[in-house]
Amino acid sequence: MITNLAEYKEYIRNKKIAVIGFGISNQALVRFLNKCGAHNISIFDKSTADTFISSCEKLVSAGTICDYFYGDKYLSTLTGGKYDIIFRSPIVRYDTPEVAACVAEGSVLTSEIETVLMLAPCKTYGVTGSDGKTTTTTLISKFLEAHYAGSDTRIWLGGNIGRPLIDVIDEIKPSDRIVLELSSFQLMDMKISTDVAVITNLSPNHLDVHKSYEEYAFAKKSIFAYQKENGRLVLNALDEMSVKLLGDRRTNVSYFSARTNKVPGFSSGSSLLSDDGSYLVYKDASKRLTLSRDTINVLGLFNVENFLAAMCAVKDEVDDSDLEKVAAAFHGVEHRLEYVRTVSGVKFYNSSIDSSPKRTISTLSVFTQKIIMIAGGKDKGISYEEIGPVLCEKVKVLVLVGPTSQAIEESVNNADPNHKITIIRQHNYRDAVDCAYSHAQSGDIVLLSPASTSFDLFRNFEERGKKYKEIVNLLNLK
């Protein structure tokens, strides 16, 4: 078992390595492998872009890699026992036939993020779930930063947010802390867990990649399945699938909820609202933390639960003053119910992160007035039926863009054939924003909450949200 960077360099130096997918994290991985003395590296990627090919040619010329393969059949040369180690990108399934064949031949399958956890010299925090991952991860890092401000301890934020930590693994000290947001794609074959693991909640998601909801949920289990004896797990008390993943485990489990003050009897600590709802309270046998709810500046009960989850995670390392300092300064994470601008009395919000019906339902719960909403995007194989009744209750004008427009409109019609929602379809975001604004009056709210992935028009939800904000910020400036 490799336990430090020096051992890893000795191990990796002469290995034949395949890197599948050449996105940001695997580009950082190749740099790291080179620093460790490994150069017998082949890159595999579907891309046929001139920029990708040119980049690989330069890497071959520099001796950074030895070969590269691309296009629709990019994995056709992977098998045959040629590679000692295969690093997969998160979107490449571990049971892809060519990958599985290599493992059967004796190749070691791993990833950039698993390597980070293997080499981490310090305490690690990991957050996964269907909703609230980024906000909870960010809050954990900020709580720790507040507590260790002025000391030599650094907080390293990574995984799905921040920079690839493999780039800086040699800079991380035992006294530091690593905080990671981890997806089901990263976790599904992980054999290392974080010291503190948080599962925010679970609902059907990414069924265009996972074979079933059960497989998707089970992938999340890796975040705690390999914890050492002193590892801790934080779960949503009312999330049945998360609790189901526990199995027989009953030790070092903490629960959070803003919706109940009762948690399972075997909890070793819990983070709940006070009886009157005015305080967030963490309590176990030896620790008590409190935070006034009035101090929190972000909307929504789900954001209160993100605070509660983060409090559970950091309970051994922070105090009330750290919580208060962060809560007072925290105004949310970009693309997550983010206030953009008020134009002629119309408030615009950006919640581009809402890539599933459940996420949109959660966002809509914040609003007490009927709103104007922009939705739609790429389908990922999940049902839209549950969103119909909520749209009927919360929305007065619905502007739809993208392939899921039909499914979303059908969910409204099925929920109430006599609904009063004005439903309009548009072909692009500029027309969608203009349409929403043209139907708005002073005092109205326009919300982007797609309930779908972004991949029909954009590379990711961040690009989608930035485009929306760019268009909103140009309103009335023409």
Side-chain angles (χ1 to χ4, degrees):
M1 177 69 177
I2 294 170
T3 58
N4 59 60
L5 189 55
E7 291 177 2
Y8 188 79
K9 288 179 178 179
E10 188 64 31
Y11 161 78
I12 201 74
R13 186 173 293 121
N14 297 315
K15 294 292 189 292
K16 295 179 181 178
I17 299 167
V19 175
I20 304 178
F22 203 50
I24 292 173
S25 62
N26 276 355
Q27 290 171 27
L29 171 69
V30 169
R31 291 193 294 269
F32 166 74
L33 293 172
N34 275 187
K35 285 197 295 184
C36 291
H39 296 272
N40 194 346
I41 302 168
S42 296
I43 293 171
F44 296 78
D45 198 289
K46 279 185 179 178
S47 176
T48 58
D50 290 342
T51 51
F52 167 72
I53 295 170
S54 174
S55 174
C56 287
E57 287 289 351
K58 290 177 182 177
L59 292 173
V60 170
S61 297
T64 302
I65 65 173
C66 63
D67 211 345
Y68 65 97
F69 304 89
Y70 62 95
D72 290 340
K73 297 183 178 179
Y74 74 113
L75 293 179
S76 61
T77 61
L78 184 67
T79 56
K82 292 178 287 188
Y83 299 102
D84 300 306
I85 304 172
I86 297 173
F87 291 90
R88 70 169 185 89
S89 67
I91 201 63
V92 175
R93 287 182 60 97
Y94 65 93
D95 57 358
T96 300
E98 296 88 346
V99 174
C102 288
V103 173
E105 292 166 355
S107 299
V108 174
L109 181 61
T110 186
S111 63
E112 175 265 337
I113 199 67
E114 188 171 48
T115 305
V116 167
L117 284 173
M118 179 175 67
L119 298 176
C122 63
K123 186 175 183 178
T124 58
Y125 291 80
V127 180
T128 195
S130 299
D131 308 299
K133 292 189 298 294
T134 301
T135 300
T136 303
T137 306
T138 302
L139 285 169
I140 290 171
S141 69
K142 288 186 177 297
F143 287 153
L144 293 171
E145 285 170 357
H147 185 75
Y148 289 108
S151 73
D152 292 334
T153 295
R154 290 187 64 179
I155 312 303
W156 302 87
L157 185 64
N160 277 352
I161 53 179
R163 66 187 297 185
L165 294 188
I166 200 72
D167 249 344
V168 292
I169 194 68
D170 56 344
E171 299 176 33
I172 301 176
K173 309 183 302 294
S175 60
D176 293 346
R177 300 290 184 267
I178 289 175
V179 186
L180 301 172
E181 179 191 318
L182 298 169
S183 71
S184 60
F185 304 147
Q186 291 166 311
L187 288 165
M188 59 182 163
D189 62 343
M190 192 93 81
K191 298 296 186 291
I192 303 173
S193 298
T194 53
D195 297 315
V196 179
V198 180
I199 301 179
T200 57
N201 55 39
L202 289 174
S203 62
N205 209 344
H206 299 302
L207 299 186
D208 53 339
V209 175
H210 289 288
K211 295 177 181 178
S212 66
Y213 175 34
E214 288 71 24
E215 184 198 80
Y216 162 74
F218 192 78
K220 303 284 192 179
K221 188 171 182 176
S222 292
I223 199 168
F224 71 87
Y226 303 96
Q227 282 183 336
K228 297 174 183 176
E229 193 172 313
N230 61 346
R232 288 201 304 108
L233 174 62
V234 177
L235 292 180
N236 187 324
L238 297 184
D239 192 77
E240 291 183 10
M241 183 61 85
S242 298
V243 175
K244 186 177 178 180
L245 291 180
L246 264 181
D248 295 330
R249 175 169 172 170
R250 293 294 182 269
T251 58
N252 295 333
V253 183
S254 298
Y255 292 86
F256 68 90
S257 181
R259 304 163 201 272
T260 180
N261 279 65
K262 297 179 181 179
V263 296
F266 48 77
S267 70
S268 55
S270 56
S271 192
L272 307 165
L273 288 178
S274 59
D275 290 339
D276 63 0
S278 60
Y279 282 89
L280 285 66
V281 180
Y282 174 85
K283 186 178 182 183
D284 63 23
S286 61
K287 184 84 173 189
R288 182 182 176 89
L289 293 168
T290 60
L291 172 66
S292 170
R293 189 171 178 178
D294 290 341
T295 311
I296 297 175
N297 291 309
V298 287
L299 299 174
L301 192 63
F302 54 87
N303 272 319
V304 172
E305 293 205 313
N306 292 334
F307 269 87
L308 290 166
M311 287 171 64
C312 271
V314 300
K315 61 99 174 176
D316 291 329
E317 300 200 61
V318 306
D319 53 41
D320 289 356
S321 62
D322 303 319
L323 302 179
E324 292 164 5
K325 189 183 303 181
V326 171
F330 185 73
H331 292 275
V333 180
E334 189 179 18
H335 310 302
R336 292 153 177 83
L337 199 51
E338 173 193 13
Y339 170 72
V340 181
R341 183 185 177 211
T342 298
V343 186
S344 301
V346 178
K347 290 184 177 180
F348 287 83
Y349 287 87
N350 163 35
S351 201
S352 181
I353 186 65
D354 297 345
S355 59
S356 69
K358 184 176 179 66
R359 185 103 192 197
T360 291
I361 290 169
S362 183
T363 295
L364 286 172
S365 70
V366 168
F367 299 101
T368 56
Q369 68 184 83
K370 288 212 170 190
I371 67 167
I372 299 167
M373 191 173 99
I374 300 171
K378 188 176 183 296
D379 188 7
K380 55 179 177 179
I382 57 181
S383 171
Y384 283 84
E385 282 307 301
E386 66 177 336
I387 202 173
V390 182
L391 294 175
C392 290
E393 178 189 352
K394 296 285 188 177
V395 176
K396 62 180 181 179
V397 178
L398 181 61
V399 183
L400 296 171
V401 185
T404 59
S405 296
Q406 182 66 31
I408 295 172
E409 183 169 353
E410 285 179 358
S411 76
V412 172
N413 293 333
N414 291 340
D416 182 3
N418 300 313
H419 69 79
K420 304 298 183 184
I421 301 176
T422 300
I423 301 178
I424 307 161
R425 297 199 193 188
Q426 297 292 345
H427 295 293
N428 59 62
Y429 265 52
R430 187 170 300 279
D431 290 345
V433 173
D434 286 344
C435 177
Y437 185 42
S438 70
H439 283 78
Q441 299 177 341
S442 180
D444 276 342
I445 290 169
V446 175
L447 167 71
L448 170 65
S449 181
S452 315
T453 67
S454 60
F455 305 125
D456 57 323
L457 296 173
F458 306 98
R459 289 176 298 176
N460 48 49
F461 74 84
E462 293 97 339
E463 183 179 81
R464 175 170 64 188
K466 288 181 187 297
K467 184 63 176 179
Y468 171 75
K469 291 194 292 182
E470 173 189 313
I471 297 167
V472 170
N473 284 322
L474 289 173
L475 288 174
N476 287 359
L477 298 180
K478 300 175 183 177

